[in-house]
Amino acid sequence: MRKARSHACIHILFSFCLGFLNSAFLFFTFRVVLESILVRHTQRCNGFIFVSSQTNLSIPTIDARVGEGRESLWGKTKFGFRYVYNTSSEQYDWFLKADDDTDVIVENLRLLLTNYSSNKEVYLGYHFKEFLAEGYASGGAGYVLSRKAVQRFVDDGLNKNVCRSDSGGFEDVEIGTCLVKIGITIQDTRDSYGRARFFPFNAIWHMRLSDVKRKDFQGYFKYHDGDYLDCCADTAITFHNVSAAGMYLMEHFIYRLKAYGINGYTSTRLPIQPEFLAITDTTA
């Protein structure tokens, strides 16, 4: 029986979460970077898989057999979605694809998805407009496909050769182009204040002044961020280009840090031990 409202994560090495890793990442920075992903994301997804160029069932990763590097991401993406289509499409409602340096707040993703039906063709993410008139979701920011959208992407896009057949090109542009050809377009995921929830860069980058960001990426963004604290929705979902240390920082600030006296938080322990409260006159 299919689980109700379940989510999967696909890392391209990523409820179902589908994620992408390259072999250098997998073998040379495993303990630092991959462990941060496991802490941040996979424990909160209903299911996950990492698509890489190596198979390691202890993580688990699967070999996409398309080589390494950004030039192979489109090949990994096609492989990853075929894999979840064949193994998990009836078990999960939602499929998130993200990179190995994409930080995800899964709880906020679940909240957003309560507004949609997985039985309809849903495609969500950060809206880029370059290269494609209808726009497409930034690959780095991660994007979500409903179960119905995954089925149509594979059945009507990949299996009928509507999509680009080789592994080249920009992965996010290629999947966006393919989805448009079969009648699926990206939907607006901004909050009621016009603030985005998915982000192609890290939080500090998006908090910069708007004119600086427009100068760098004027042609790409469908909508532009506000300045500083107005940049991002209170229920933001993803940030990209996040280091391993940055992921642990997000984990601490979101799930562990408490402000004494705010939102009903109190503690049986004093914030500072009594012996440190006394002021000692060191001039005597």
Side-chain angles (χ1 to χ4, degrees):
M1 180 179 294
R2 181 174 54 82
K3 300 176 183 178
R5 288 291 177 192
S6 57
H7 312 76
C9 303
I10 309 175
H11 281 280
I12 294 188
L13 168 208
F14 213 1
S15 217
F16 194 91
C17 297
L18 169 64
F20 300 113
L21 284 182
N22 59 58
S23 58
F25 171 92
L26 176 60
F27 292 106
F28 295 113
T29 60
F30 171 83
R31 291 189 59 82
V32 177
V33 183
L34 184 54
E35 285 183 4
S36 68
I37 297 175
L38 294 175
V39 167
R40 286 288 292 125
H41 308 145
T42 59
Q43 64 178 323
R44 297 182 176 103
C45 293
N46 298 100
F48 68 93
I49 192 68
F50 295 92
V51 180
S52 182
S53 62
Q54 303 285 340
T55 296
N56 185 333
L57 297 180
S58 66
I59 296 175
T61 66
I62 52 175
D63 183 2
R65 302 182 184 90
V66 294
E68 278 304 340
R70 293 181 60 85
E71 63 275 9
S72 299
L73 274 178
W74 173 229
K76 285 185 177 181
T77 301
K78 291 186 290 183
F79 177 92
F81 278 110
R82 281 190 187 277
Y83 180 87
V84 297
Y85 171 85
N86 290 324
T87 63
S88 309
S89 62
E90 292 303 318
Q91 184 178 1
Y92 300 99
D93 294 312
W94 301 97
F95 296 83
L96 165 69
K97 173 270 166 187
D99 293 343
D100 51 34
D101 58 348
T102 305
D103 191 84
V104 184
I105 305 168
V106 177
E107 294 83 353
N108 288 347
L109 173 60
R110 294 182 191 279
L111 176 64
L112 175 66
L113 294 177
T114 61
N115 298 298
Y116 302 92
S117 169
S118 61
N119 294 317
K120 296 183 178 180
E121 297 141 335
V122 180
Y123 170 41
L124 308 173
Y126 188 90
H127 199 145
F128 275 175
K129 64 178 184 178
E130 189 80 348
F131 305 119
L132 189 61
E134 294 84 354
Y136 59 97
S138 161
Y143 47 83
V144 178
L145 293 181
S146 63
R147 182 180 64 254
K148 181 66 173 179
V150 170
Q151 292 171 346
R152 291 230 30 235
F153 172 50
V154 175
D155 287 338
D156 299 335
L158 298 180
N159 292 346
K160 295 182 179 178
N161 296 318
V162 172
C163 305
R164 180 169 175 164
S165 59
D166 63 13
S167 296
F170 297 114
E171 158 256 333
D172 48 7
V173 176
E174 295 304 331
I175 190 170
T177 300
C178 183
L179 290 173
V180 165
K181 288 180 179 179
I182 60 175
I184 302 174
T185 55
I186 184 173
Q187 298 185 39
D188 189 355
T189 59
R190 295 176 299 157
D191 69 6
S192 59
Y193 297 98
R195 300 174 302 185
R197 290 185 169 94
F198 296 82
F199 294 94
F201 299 103
N202 60 49
I204 293 175
W205 192 96
H206 284 282
M207 285 185 176
R208 299 189 305 169
L209 291 173
S210 298
D211 57 347
V212 177
K213 290 178 284 190
R214 289 193 181 97
K215 180 179 178 181
D216 289 345
F217 288 91
Q218 179 69 42
Y220 278 84
F221 297 166
K222 173 73 172 181
Y223 310 106
H224 290 282
D225 308 330
D227 298 336
Y228 304 124
L229 295 180
D230 291 329
C231 75
C232 316
D234 295 343
T235 51
I237 294 169
T238 67
F239 293 96
H240 186 220
N241 287 342
V242 180
S243 66
M247 289 190 183
Y248 281 116
L249 189 68
M250 293 285 282
E251 179 74 15
H252 177 74
F253 282 153
I254 294 172
Y255 298 101
R256 299 189 180 188
L257 183 66
K258 301 291 190 298
Y260 188 82
I262 295 179
N263 295 327
Y265 173 71
T266 58
S267 175
T268 57
R269 294 182 59 190
L270 288 173
I272 303 176
Q273 295 300 316
E275 59 267 27
F276 295 109
L277 293 175
I279 299 176
T280 302
D281 186 356
T282 59
T283 63

